[in-house]
Amino acid sequence: MLAGKIALVTGATSGFGEATARALAGQGARVILTGRRKDRLEALTRELGAALPLAFDIRDNTAVKAAIASLPPEWQSIDLLVNNAGLALNTLSFEHQPMADLEQMMQTNNTGLIYITHALLPGMIARGSGHILNISSIAGSYPIPAAMSTAPAKPSSPSFP
Ligand SMILES: NC(=O)c1ccc[n+]([C@@H]2O[C@H](COP(=O)([O-])OP(=O)(O)OC[C@H]3O[C@@H](n4cnc5c(N)ncnc54)[C@H](OP(=O)(O)O)[C@@H]3O)[C@@H](O)[C@H]2O)c1
């Protein structure tokens, strides 16, 4: 069904991205596998066969552009971009979140998506075809209830139940 198509999956070293890459390959697509863990990318490439490992940190726009520029000609006409790379580092309420965690989540989930999309969309427009699938989370629409938070315990107080 996807024979002859090329897909690029971000965050293909585990979880949804890895499963998506397997599913796309199962449908006959050639799949560019991305993520930072090169060993996992190479193992999945060996398993899938018609795949290409492309290791980079999606938070680094220079690395993103260099990785896309390094694609062999026969891998450059990408038909499908699956924006999957992302993470949720903790369930703390906002005021308890370490700034480093907030920065990593924003730079990966949001800015990284912008970098890779900006690198690939012009080619799709020039070819007059292409699809982009963005994987989000319900946590992007609704806050995780404080009851689930692992925030430091509130100071005990006789009036606090
Ligand atoms: N699991 C859930 O319950 C759930 C629910 C809703 C939405 N989601 C969304 O689904 C997506 C995948 O989640 P998952 O549960 O499958 O997570 P996962 O197993 O932890 O996989 C995350 C992927 O993102 C990649 N990644 C993280 N930081 C990166 C970076 N700086 N540069 C390049 N790649 C990076 C990781 O690769 P490397 O570590 O090799 O770089 C990994 O392949 C995320 O966007 C997440 O928000 C997940």
Side-chain angles (χ1 to χ4, degrees), residues 18 21-22 25 33 40-51:
E18 182 179 353
R22 280 206 180 90
L33 309 165
R40 287 181 177 235
L41 295 176
E42 284 165 359
L44 189 56
T45 297
R46 282 194 295 276
E47 179 194 321
L48 298 182

Side-chain angles (χ1 to χ4, degrees), residues 11 13-16 36-37 56-59 84-86 108 136-137:
T13 56
S14 62
F16 292 167
R36 293 165 299 180
R37 287 170 288 178
F56 58 87
D57 188 327
I58 204 162
R59 296 169 294 176
N84 163 79
T108 308
S136 184
S137 169

